[in-house]
mmCIF file of all heavy atoms in Angstrom:
data_model
loop_
_atom_site.group_PDB
_atom_site.id
_atom_site.type_symbol
_atom_site.label_atom_id
_atom_site.label_comp_id
_atom_site.label_asym_id
_atom_site.label_seq_id
_atom_site.Cartn_x
_atom_site.Cartn_y
_atom_site.Cartn_z
ATOM 1 N N PHE A 1 0.854 -1.188 -0.013
ATOM 2 C CA PHE A 1 -0.001 -0.004 -0.011
ATOM 3 C C PHE A 1 0.892 1.251 0.013
ATOM 4 O O PHE A 1 1.827 1.330 0.817
ATOM 5 C CB PHE A 1 -0.873 -0.022 1.256
ATOM 6 C CG PHE A 1 -1.726 1.191 1.437
ATOM 7 C CD1 PHE A 1 -2.988 1.271 0.827
ATOM 8 C CD2 PHE A 1 -1.297 2.273 2.220
ATOM 9 C CE1 PHE A 1 -3.778 2.389 1.008
ATOM 10 C CE2 PHE A 1 -2.093 3.394 2.401
ATOM 11 C CZ PHE A 1 -3.347 3.457 1.791
ATOM 12 N N GLU A 2 0.649 2.151 -0.917
ATOM 13 C CA GLU A 2 1.387 3.413 -0.926
ATOM 14 C C GLU A 2 0.471 4.514 -1.511
ATOM 15 O O GLU A 2 -0.180 4.287 -2.548
ATOM 16 C CB GLU A 2 2.646 3.302 -1.797
ATOM 17 C CG GLU A 2 3.448 4.592 -1.863
ATOM 18 C CD GLU A 2 4.746 4.425 -2.607
ATOM 19 O OE1 GLU A 2 5.611 3.724 -2.066
ATOM 20 O OE2 GLU A 2 4.895 5.007 -3.682
ATOM 21 N N ARG A 3 0.405 5.657 -0.858
ATOM 22 C CA ARG A 3 -0.417 6.777 -1.305
ATOM 23 C C ARG A 3 0.306 8.085 -1.033
ATOM 24 O O ARG A 3 1.029 8.224 -0.047
ATOM 25 C CB ARG A 3 -1.759 6.815 -0.554
ATOM 26 C CG ARG A 3 -2.661 5.628 -0.801
ATOM 27 C CD ARG A 3 -3.234 5.636 -2.230
ATOM 28 N NE ARG A 3 -4.186 4.574 -2.401
ATOM 29 C CZ ARG A 3 -3.960 3.337 -2.702
ATOM 30 N NH1 ARG A 3 -2.712 2.923 -2.851
ATOM 31 N NH2 ARG A 3 -4.926 2.457 -2.892
ATOM 32 N N VAL A 4 0.060 9.040 -1.861
ATOM 33 C CA VAL A 4 0.527 10.429 -1.638
ATOM 34 C C VAL A 4 -0.600 11.108 -0.887
ATOM 35 O O VAL A 4 -1.784 11.039 -1.283
ATOM 36 C CB VAL A 4 0.809 11.178 -2.973
ATOM 37 C CG1 VAL A 4 1.128 12.632 -2.711
ATOM 38 C CG2 VAL A 4 1.934 10.477 -3.707
ATOM 39 N N VAL A 5 -0.258 11.823 0.210
ATOM 40 C CA VAL A 5 -1.265 12.500 1.014
ATOM 41 C C VAL A 5 -0.935 13.971 1.058
ATOM 42 O O VAL A 5 0.193 14.371 1.395
ATOM 43 C CB VAL A 5 -1.292 11.935 2.472
ATOM 44 C CG1 VAL A 5 -2.365 12.632 3.287
ATOM 45 C CG2 VAL A 5 -1.537 10.412 2.452
ATOM 46 N N PHE A 6 -1.907 14.804 0.663
ATOM 47 C CA PHE A 6 -1.701 16.249 0.619
ATOM 48 C C PHE A 6 -2.163 16.872 1.958
ATOM 49 O O PHE A 6 -2.954 16.251 2.659
ATOM 50 C CB PHE A 6 -2.472 16.823 -0.553
ATOM 51 C CG PHE A 6 -1.891 16.392 -1.881
ATOM 52 C CD1 PHE A 6 -2.431 15.329 -2.544
ATOM 53 C CD2 PHE A 6 -0.830 17.033 -2.446
ATOM 54 C CE1 PHE A 6 -1.918 14.882 -3.768
ATOM 55 C CE2 PHE A 6 -0.277 16.639 -3.654
ATOM 56 C CZ PHE A 6 -0.844 15.560 -4.306
ATOM 57 N N PRO A 7 -1.722 18.096 2.262
ATOM 58 C CA PRO A 7 -2.145 18.763 3.515
ATOM 59 C C PRO A 7 -3.673 18.833 3.608
ATOM 60 O O PRO A 7 -4.356 19.051 2.642
ATOM 61 C CB PRO A 7 -1.541 20.156 3.351
ATOM 62 C CG PRO A 7 -0.365 19.985 2.468
ATOM 63 C CD PRO A 7 -0.784 18.886 1.475
ATOM 64 N N ALA A 8 -4.164 18.530 4.792
ATOM 65 C CA ALA A 8 -5.581 18.556 5.130
ATOM 66 C C ALA A 8 -6.365 17.431 4.456
ATOM 67 O O ALA A 8 -7.612 17.374 4.595
ATOM 68 C CB ALA A 8 -6.232 19.918 4.808
ATOM 69 N N GLN A 9 -5.721 16.481 3.778
ATOM 70 C CA GLN A 9 -6.412 15.377 3.193
ATOM 71 C C GLN A 9 -6.554 14.260 4.198
ATOM 72 O O GLN A 9 -5.659 14.014 5.035
ATOM 73 C CB GLN A 9 -5.619 14.859 1.970
ATOM 74 C CG GLN A 9 -6.278 13.700 1.259
ATOM 75 C CD GLN A 9 -5.465 13.211 0.061
ATOM 76 O OE1 GLN A 9 -4.344 13.630 -0.152
ATOM 77 N NE2 GLN A 9 -6.060 12.293 -0.685
ATOM 78 N N THR A 10 -7.655 13.526 4.116
ATOM 79 C CA THR A 10 -7.937 12.402 4.982
ATOM 80 C C THR A 10 -7.980 11.138 4.148
ATOM 81 O O THR A 10 -8.612 11.159 3.083
ATOM 82 C CB THR A 10 -9.285 12.554 5.739
ATOM 83 O OG1 THR A 10 -9.203 13.761 6.504
ATOM 84 C CG2 THR A 10 -9.558 11.413 6.660
ATOM 85 N N ILE A 11 -7.367 10.061 4.583
ATOM 86 C CA ILE A 11 -7.503 8.812 3.896
ATOM 87 C C ILE A 11 -7.985 7.709 4.856
ATOM 88 O O ILE A 11 -7.649 7.764 6.057
ATOM 89 C CB ILE A 11 -6.179 8.367 3.180
ATOM 90 C CG1 ILE A 11 -5.046 8.122 4.215
ATOM 91 C CG2 ILE A 11 -5.742 9.355 2.135
ATOM 92 C CD1 ILE A 11 -3.840 7.451 3.631
ATOM 93 N N LEU A 12 -8.750 6.818 4.331
ATOM 94 C CA LEU A 12 -9.181 5.650 5.125
ATOM 95 C C LEU A 12 -8.668 4.433 4.396
ATOM 96 O O LEU A 12 -8.683 4.342 3.188
ATOM 97 C CB LEU A 12 -10.706 5.599 5.217
ATOM 98 C CG LEU A 12 -11.380 6.690 5.999
ATOM 99 C CD1 LEU A 12 -12.892 6.553 5.897
ATOM 100 C CD2 LEU A 12 -10.935 6.659 7.449
ATOM 101 N N PHE A 13 -8.196 3.421 5.163
ATOM 102 C CA PHE A 13 -7.716 2.205 4.577
ATOM 103 C C PHE A 13 -7.856 1.055 5.554
ATOM 104 O O PHE A 13 -8.012 1.256 6.752
ATOM 105 C CB PHE A 13 -6.239 2.354 4.166
ATOM 106 C CG PHE A 13 -5.334 2.799 5.278
ATOM 107 C CD1 PHE A 13 -4.653 1.914 6.076
ATOM 108 C CD2 PHE A 13 -5.136 4.149 5.524
ATOM 109 C CE1 PHE A 13 -3.836 2.310 7.111
ATOM 110 C CE2 PHE A 13 -4.346 4.565 6.561
ATOM 111 C CZ PHE A 13 -3.659 3.668 7.360
ATOM 112 N N CYS A 14 -7.889 -0.134 5.038
ATOM 113 C CA CYS A 14 -8.016 -1.375 5.842
ATOM 114 C C CYS A 14 -6.713 -2.116 5.733
ATOM 115 O O CYS A 14 -6.130 -2.240 4.656
ATOM 116 C CB CYS A 14 -9.152 -2.241 5.377
ATOM 117 S SG CYS A 14 -10.769 -1.444 5.496
ATOM 118 N N THR A 15 -6.265 -2.656 6.900
ATOM 119 C CA THR A 15 -4.983 -3.435 6.883
ATOM 120 C C THR A 15 -5.118 -4.595 7.852
ATOM 121 O O THR A 15 -5.958 -4.620 8.726
ATOM 122 C CB THR A 15 -3.815 -2.550 7.393
ATOM 123 O OG1 THR A 15 -4.050 -2.217 8.774
ATOM 124 C CG2 THR A 15 -3.607 -1.311 6.588
ATOM 125 N N PRO A 16 -4.213 -5.545 7.704
ATOM 126 C CA PRO A 16 -4.094 -6.600 8.716
ATOM 127 C C PRO A 16 -3.629 -5.971 10.024
ATOM 128 O O PRO A 16 -2.979 -4.925 10.037
ATOM 129 C CB PRO A 16 -3.027 -7.553 8.156
ATOM 130 C CG PRO A 16 -2.976 -7.243 6.696
ATOM 131 C CD PRO A 16 -3.319 -5.792 6.555
ATOM 132 N N PRO A 17 -3.968 -6.587 11.178
ATOM 133 C CA PRO A 17 -3.591 -6.011 12.472
ATOM 134 C C PRO A 17 -2.090 -5.759 12.690
ATOM 135 O O PRO A 17 -1.693 -4.831 13.404
ATOM 136 C CB PRO A 17 -4.079 -7.055 13.480
ATOM 137 C CG PRO A 17 -4.975 -7.969 12.761
ATOM 138 C CD PRO A 17 -4.654 -7.855 11.290
ATOM 139 N N GLU A 18 -1.226 -6.538 12.075
ATOM 140 C CA GLU A 18 0.203 -6.403 12.263
ATOM 141 C C GLU A 18 0.850 -5.315 11.371
ATOM 142 O O GLU A 18 2.057 -5.051 11.491
ATOM 143 C CB GLU A 18 0.922 -7.725 12.031
ATOM 144 C CG GLU A 18 0.933 -8.194 10.576
ATOM 145 C CD GLU A 18 -0.330 -8.965 10.142
ATOM 146 O OE1 GLU A 18 -1.306 -9.025 10.897
ATOM 147 O OE2 GLU A 18 -0.250 -9.575 9.078
ATOM 148 N N ALA A 19 0.062 -4.669 10.529
ATOM 149 C CA ALA A 19 0.617 -3.660 9.586
ATOM 150 C C ALA A 19 1.199 -2.433 10.332
ATOM 151 O O ALA A 19 0.695 -2.067 11.377
ATOM 152 C CB ALA A 19 -0.438 -3.234 8.608
ATOM 153 N N VAL A 20 2.232 -1.864 9.716
ATOM 154 C CA VAL A 20 2.847 -0.636 10.251
ATOM 155 C C VAL A 20 2.824 0.396 9.121
ATOM 156 O O VAL A 20 3.262 0.164 8.005
ATOM 157 C CB VAL A 20 4.278 -0.890 10.715
ATOM 158 C CG1 VAL A 20 4.936 0.432 11.119
ATOM 159 C CG2 VAL A 20 4.321 -1.879 11.834
ATOM 160 N N LEU A 21 2.271 1.564 9.432
ATOM 161 C CA LEU A 21 2.207 2.674 8.488
ATOM 162 C C LEU A 21 3.489 3.485 8.583
ATOM 163 O O LEU A 21 3.868 3.971 9.648
ATOM 164 C CB LEU A 21 0.998 3.598 8.796
ATOM 165 C CG LEU A 21 0.822 4.774 7.812
ATOM 166 C CD1 LEU A 21 0.271 4.219 6.489
ATOM 167 C CD2 LEU A 21 -0.127 5.807 8.389
ATOM 168 N N GLU A 22 4.200 3.624 7.466
ATOM 169 C CA GLU A 22 5.425 4.415 7.382
ATOM 170 C C GLU A 22 5.044 5.767 6.730
ATOM 171 O O GLU A 22 4.406 5.788 5.708
ATOM 172 C CB GLU A 22 6.472 3.730 6.530
ATOM 173 C CG GLU A 22 6.911 2.393 7.088
ATOM 174 C CD GLU A 22 7.837 1.639 6.146
ATOM 175 O OE1 GLU A 22 7.904 1.995 4.971
ATOM 176 O OE2 GLU A 22 8.428 0.702 6.645
ATOM 177 N N VAL A 23 5.505 6.837 7.350
ATOM 178 C CA VAL A 23 5.228 8.180 6.822
ATOM 179 C C VAL A 23 6.544 8.786 6.344
ATOM 180 O O VAL A 23 7.473 8.944 7.107
ATOM 181 C CB VAL A 23 4.575 9.086 7.893
ATOM 182 C CG1 VAL A 23 4.285 10.471 7.333
ATOM 183 C CG2 VAL A 23 3.341 8.431 8.453
ATOM 184 N N TYR A 24 6.570 9.129 5.058
ATOM 185 C CA TYR A 24 7.765 9.748 4.446
ATOM 186 C C TYR A 24 7.490 11.183 4.132
ATOM 187 O O TYR A 24 6.418 11.528 3.671
ATOM 188 C CB TYR A 24 8.157 8.989 3.181
ATOM 189 C CG TYR A 24 8.647 7.595 3.454
ATOM 190 C CD1 TYR A 24 7.758 6.500 3.578
ATOM 191 C CD2 TYR A 24 10.002 7.315 3.566
ATOM 192 C CE1 TYR A 24 8.201 5.245 3.834
ATOM 193 C CE2 TYR A 24 10.480 6.015 3.795
ATOM 194 C CZ TYR A 24 9.543 4.994 3.965
ATOM 195 O OH TYR A 24 9.994 3.735 4.175
ATOM 196 N N THR A 25 8.502 12.010 4.312
ATOM 197 C CA THR A 25 8.387 13.431 3.999
ATOM 198 C C THR A 25 9.709 13.915 3.373
ATOM 199 O O THR A 25 10.734 13.253 3.533
ATOM 200 C CB THR A 25 8.053 14.268 5.245
ATOM 201 O OG1 THR A 25 7.764 15.583 4.882
ATOM 202 C CG2 THR A 25 9.155 14.228 6.293
ATOM 203 N N GLY A 26 9.648 14.992 2.640
ATOM 204 C CA GLY A 26 10.867 15.486 2.044
ATOM 205 C C GLY A 26 10.622 16.311 0.796
ATOM 206 O O GLY A 26 9.502 16.650 0.485
ATOM 207 N N SER A 27 11.697 16.555 0.070
ATOM 208 C CA SER A 27 11.609 17.334 -1.181
ATOM 209 C C SER A 27 11.488 16.391 -2.332
ATOM 210 O O SER A 27 11.406 15.181 -2.202
ATOM 211 C CB SER A 27 12.851 18.200 -1.335
ATOM 212 O OG SER A 27 13.984 17.375 -1.508
ATOM 213 N N HIS A 28 11.527 16.942 -3.564
ATOM 214 C CA HIS A 28 11.411 16.113 -4.786
ATOM 215 C C HIS A 28 12.612 15.153 -4.914
ATOM 216 O O HIS A 28 12.466 14.068 -5.416
ATOM 217 C CB HIS A 28 11.321 17.013 -5.998
ATOM 218 C CG HIS A 28 10.075 17.815 -6.038
ATOM 219 N ND1 HIS A 28 8.817 17.252 -6.236
ATOM 220 C CD2 HIS A 28 9.839 19.133 -5.851
ATOM 221 C CE1 HIS A 28 7.924 18.195 -6.197
ATOM 222 N NE2 HIS A 28 8.533 19.354 -5.966
ATOM 223 N N ALA A 29 13.772 15.566 -4.464
ATOM 224 C CA ALA A 29 14.972 14.775 -4.635
ATOM 225 C C ALA A 29 15.193 13.745 -3.510
ATOM 226 O O ALA A 29 15.837 12.742 -3.716
ATOM 227 C CB ALA A 29 16.205 15.681 -4.737
ATOM 228 N N THR A 30 14.626 14.024 -2.316
ATOM 229 C CA THR A 30 14.908 13.173 -1.177
ATOM 230 C C THR A 30 13.601 12.884 -0.431
ATOM 231 O O THR A 30 12.760 13.717 -0.282
ATOM 232 C CB THR A 30 15.820 13.867 -0.203
ATOM 233 O OG1 THR A 30 16.990 14.320 -0.879
ATOM 234 C CG2 THR A 30 16.251 12.952 0.937
ATOM 235 N N CYS A 31 13.474 11.646 -0.027
ATOM 236 C CA CYS A 31 12.297 11.240 0.767
ATOM 237 C C CYS A 31 12.789 10.503 2.022
ATOM 238 O O CYS A 31 13.473 9.481 1.881
ATOM 239 C CB CYS A 31 11.411 10.330 -0.095
ATOM 240 S SG CYS A 31 9.756 10.168 0.524
ATOM 241 N N LEU A 32 12.522 11.046 3.163
ATOM 242 C CA LEU A 32 13.009 10.464 4.407
ATOM 243 C C LEU A 32 11.898 9.889 5.260
ATOM 244 O O LEU A 32 10.786 10.456 5.311
ATOM 245 C CB LEU A 32 13.740 11.551 5.225
ATOM 246 C CG LEU A 32 14.924 12.251 4.556
ATOM 247 C CD1 LEU A 32 15.383 13.400 5.397
ATOM 248 C CD2 LEU A 32 16.010 11.253 4.311
ATOM 249 N N LEU A 33 12.158 8.786 5.900
ATOM 250 C CA LEU A 33 11.185 8.160 6.814
ATOM 251 C C LEU A 33 11.030 9.104 8.025
ATOM 252 O O LEU A 33 11.995 9.323 8.761
ATOM 253 C CB LEU A 33 11.637 6.793 7.241
ATOM 254 C CG LEU A 33 10.727 6.055 8.216
ATOM 255 C CD1 LEU A 33 9.333 5.798 7.625
ATOM 256 C CD2 LEU A 33 11.366 4.724 8.648
ATOM 257 N N ALA A 34 9.841 9.650 8.260
ATOM 258 C CA ALA A 34 9.612 10.574 9.337
ATOM 259 C C ALA A 34 9.005 9.867 10.562
ATOM 260 O O ALA A 34 9.247 10.278 11.679
ATOM 261 C CB ALA A 34 8.695 11.693 8.881
ATOM 262 N N ASP A 35 8.199 8.819 10.318
ATOM 263 C CA ASP A 35 7.546 8.152 11.459
ATOM 264 C C ASP A 35 7.055 6.776 11.008
ATOM 265 O O ASP A 35 6.812 6.533 9.810
ATOM 266 C CB ASP A 35 6.366 8.980 11.904
ATOM 267 C CG ASP A 35 5.943 8.690 13.368
ATOM 268 O OD1 ASP A 35 6.560 7.845 14.011
ATOM 269 O OD2 ASP A 35 4.972 9.335 13.801
ATOM 270 N N SER A 36 6.940 5.871 11.957
ATOM 271 C CA SER A 36 6.335 4.546 11.775
ATOM 272 C C SER A 36 5.294 4.368 12.849
ATOM 273 O O SER A 36 5.612 4.548 14.038
ATOM 274 C CB SER A 36 7.380 3.463 11.853
ATOM 275 O OG SER A 36 8.288 3.540 10.807
ATOM 276 N N VAL A 37 4.074 4.023 12.450
ATOM 277 C CA VAL A 37 2.977 3.926 13.389
ATOM 278 C C VAL A 37 2.285 2.586 13.222
ATOM 279 O O VAL A 37 1.829 2.266 12.102
ATOM 280 C CB VAL A 37 1.928 5.074 13.179
ATOM 281 C CG1 VAL A 37 0.829 4.989 14.157
ATOM 282 C CG2 VAL A 37 2.631 6.411 13.172
ATOM 283 N N PRO A 38 2.151 1.766 14.284
ATOM 284 C CA PRO A 38 1.395 0.517 14.167
ATOM 285 C C PRO A 38 -0.052 0.873 13.791
ATOM 286 O O PRO A 38 -0.693 1.743 14.389
ATOM 287 C CB PRO A 38 1.469 -0.065 15.561
ATOM 288 C CG PRO A 38 2.654 0.574 16.191
ATOM 289 C CD PRO A 38 2.724 1.959 15.606
ATOM 290 N N CYS A 39 -0.575 0.172 12.787
ATOM 291 C CA CYS A 39 -1.946 0.476 12.325
ATOM 292 C C CYS A 39 -2.969 0.172 13.409
ATOM 293 O O CYS A 39 -4.048 0.761 13.375
ATOM 294 C CB CYS A 39 -2.240 -0.289 11.023
ATOM 295 S SG CYS A 39 -1.320 0.370 9.626
ATOM 296 N N SER A 40 -2.641 -0.672 14.315
ATOM 297 C CA SER A 40 -3.570 -0.987 15.411
ATOM 298 C C SER A 40 -3.870 0.266 16.256
ATOM 299 O O SER A 40 -4.914 0.395 16.865
ATOM 300 C CB SER A 40 -3.052 -2.104 16.310
ATOM 301 O OG SER A 40 -1.791 -1.741 16.868
ATOM 302 N N GLN A 41 -2.917 1.220 16.263
ATOM 303 C CA GLN A 41 -3.103 2.480 16.994
ATOM 304 C C GLN A 41 -3.924 3.481 16.232
ATOM 305 O O GLN A 41 -4.401 4.501 16.750
ATOM 306 C CB GLN A 41 -1.754 3.104 17.329
ATOM 307 C CG GLN A 41 -0.935 2.366 18.321
ATOM 308 C CD GLN A 41 0.371 3.028 18.650
ATOM 309 O OE1 GLN A 41 0.687 4.138 18.172
ATOM 310 N NE2 GLN A 41 1.173 2.386 19.477
ATOM 311 N N LEU A 42 -4.158 3.217 14.933
ATOM 312 C CA LEU A 42 -4.902 4.134 14.062
ATOM 313 C C LEU A 42 -6.362 3.708 13.857
ATOM 314 O O LEU A 42 -7.100 4.376 13.187
ATOM 315 C CB LEU A 42 -4.229 4.248 12.710
ATOM 316 C CG LEU A 42 -2.787 4.747 12.713
ATOM 317 C CD1 LEU A 42 -2.175 4.594 11.302
ATOM 318 C CD2 LEU A 42 -2.693 6.151 13.209
ATOM 319 N N GLU A 43 -6.720 2.584 14.430
ATOM 320 C CA GLU A 43 -8.031 1.977 14.194
ATOM 321 C C GLU A 43 -9.143 2.927 14.610
ATOM 322 O O GLU A 43 -9.145 3.569 15.667
ATOM 323 C CB GLU A 43 -8.181 0.708 15.008
ATOM 324 C CG GLU A 43 -9.471 0.013 14.784
ATOM 325 C CD GLU A 43 -9.604 -1.268 15.621
ATOM 326 O OE1 GLU A 43 -8.715 -1.588 16.406
ATOM 327 O OE2 GLU A 43 -10.602 -1.953 15.388
ATOM 328 N N ILE A 44 -10.147 3.020 13.704
ATOM 329 C CA ILE A 44 -11.387 3.770 14.045
ATOM 330 C C ILE A 44 -12.514 2.761 14.042
ATOM 331 O O ILE A 44 -12.536 1.803 13.322
ATOM 332 C CB ILE A 44 -11.683 4.933 13.093
ATOM 333 C CG1 ILE A 44 -11.806 4.424 11.627
ATOM 334 C CG2 ILE A 44 -10.614 6.008 13.180
ATOM 335 C CD1 ILE A 44 -12.261 5.473 10.675
ATOM 336 N N ARG A 45 -13.452 2.991 14.917
ATOM 337 C CA ARG A 45 -14.555 2.020 15.069
ATOM 338 C C ARG A 45 -15.816 2.510 14.381
ATOM 339 O O ARG A 45 -16.714 1.739 14.108
ATOM 340 C CB ARG A 45 -14.830 1.731 16.508
ATOM 341 C CG ARG A 45 -13.601 1.129 17.179
ATOM 342 C CD ARG A 45 -13.943 0.505 18.502
ATOM 343 N NE ARG A 45 -12.771 0.083 19.195
ATOM 344 C CZ ARG A 45 -12.145 -1.096 18.993
ATOM 345 N NH1 ARG A 45 -12.620 -1.884 18.092
ATOM 346 N NH2 ARG A 45 -11.078 -1.418 19.690
ATOM 347 N N GLU A 46 -15.937 3.793 14.103
ATOM 348 C CA GLU A 46 -17.127 4.347 13.475
ATOM 349 C C GLU A 46 -16.660 5.401 12.449
ATOM 350 O O GLU A 46 -15.843 6.260 12.748
ATOM 351 C CB GLU A 46 -18.001 5.039 14.548
ATOM 352 C CG GLU A 46 -19.268 5.577 14.029
ATOM 353 C CD GLU A 46 -20.118 6.152 15.132
ATOM 354 O OE1 GLU A 46 -20.105 5.639 16.261
ATOM 355 O OE2 GLU A 46 -20.820 7.141 14.860
ATOM 356 N N VAL A 47 -17.187 5.308 11.241
ATOM 357 C CA VAL A 47 -16.842 6.188 10.196
ATOM 358 C C VAL A 47 -17.745 7.432 10.259
ATOM 359 O O VAL A 47 -18.971 7.297 10.343
ATOM 360 C CB VAL A 47 -16.990 5.572 8.796
ATOM 361 C CG1 VAL A 47 -16.705 6.593 7.717
ATOM 362 C CG2 VAL A 47 -16.057 4.376 8.682
ATOM 363 N N VAL A 48 -17.172 8.619 10.329
ATOM 364 C CA VAL A 48 -17.937 9.858 10.367
ATOM 365 C C VAL A 48 -18.470 10.127 8.966
ATOM 366 O O VAL A 48 -17.713 10.119 7.972
ATOM 367 C CB VAL A 48 -17.036 11.047 10.823
ATOM 368 C CG1 VAL A 48 -17.830 12.331 10.830
ATOM 369 C CG2 VAL A 48 -16.492 10.738 12.195
#
């Protein structure tokens, strides 16, 4: 799974419980890993 996310954009996705979301940030020439978040911590139970 890979997506480009723009400022103020919201994305919803489904993953297996063991998945880890990696967040990359940077310029056009360089992309650096900024954070890794277990998807279990991102779980929502009700969609707004």
